[in-house]
Amino acid sequence: MKLSWKATAVSPFVYNLAFPETGTVTSDRTYKVRDKALATTTSRYESMGVKADFMDTLLVARPYGTTFGIGGFDTVAAPGTRTEYYSAGDSTWQHAISSSFPWGEFMMDRFRTYKAGAHRTENWYRGVLVPSAPRDDQGREQLAAERQDNLIGVAPGFWSDSEHSGLQGSFGDMGNMRLSSGGEVLGESGWPSGVFTVPAEDAAYELTMETMKSGQPAAVWKRSTATETTWKFRSHRDESAYSQGIPLLFPGYDLPSDGMKTLAAKDGQRIALSVTGHAGYTPGKLTAAKVSYSYDGGKTWTAATTAQQDGRWTATVNHADAAGKPVTLRTELTDANGNSVVQTVTDAYAVR
């Protein structure tokens, strides 16, 4: 017996179609689809340093309240670029990607409704992946840290890229948290979240969160293998307020990288720096930014040149003669309200 076939190993496009019926279906239906009647998204997928097939999932919600998944265990190649078509109308769509199913993280887009002929671009796993504020289904920042009376509770989002928030993986993502004041540890948690008892009077605090990727999901995750983030802020009890937002700053990074999250071995490359808050705190204008990088996991450091132009901060790095080396980043940002964050990202990217 001889079998032969032709196929496309990695499809450059995918159609996500919905044909809702509002009345009773009493006969067969035939649906004809034309591209001009659909919405189009051009999606770019970066890998985490290893070529892999990421899990590709899609939820659909209907106006009457039902939400359901469509498709099976589909995959999308990373790195890669794909054109994605969506039916227009009153269905809302939520796209989610995982680097390692079922134990890895899920990067989540918000629910979206599409119009015929509309076009947008989307970047998955872009930039340096780090913790951020959690977001709801509409992409709005949620509360990451608050004070109630003499308790401080903290629960940041575990991962984020330049456009999406991420849900912590079940077995591959681990973390811990520690709150200190005046050199004294007030509390520790074996999870990347926690509730800590604090004194009523005004005090300066340091909150440290560590994350790491381990186990089977780490096989395709060679960037942002570990992070350590320390927030510095002041807090006191306000008897007139039930909930006081804690002023956490979340750094963001945009890299001139390729799909494997590598930078060229040359001087003069700029990393764009940004900062976001959460539902309990809107950051002030950034007043200071320091960035250092290391090729030996943080044993020795080289200072990058930081600069501000029109309110935007960048860090210029020199990776000449560093081909093949991993890069650990350390960033310190301070806002106009005096709150600051120091973040170290192990294996943030590599030099090619």
Side-chain angles (χ1 to χ4, degrees), residues 230-242:
T230 297
W231 294 277
K232 299 179 181 181
F233 57 91
R234 302 191 71 86
S235 178
H236 67 276
R237 183 175 66 184
D238 183 349
E239 295 182 354
S240 65
Y242 173 75

Side-chain angles (χ1 to χ4, degrees), residues 109-139:
D109 190 24
R110 66 177 180 86
F111 273 97
R112 297 179 183 274
T113 302
Y114 293 97
K115 294 182 179 180
H119 180 264
R120 56 183 292 268
T121 60
E122 189 167 24
N123 293 283
W124 291 90
Y125 291 81
R126 178 170 174 166
V128 178
L129 270 69
V130 291
S132 72
R135 294 179 179 269
D136 65 15
D137 287 342
Q138 299 305 313

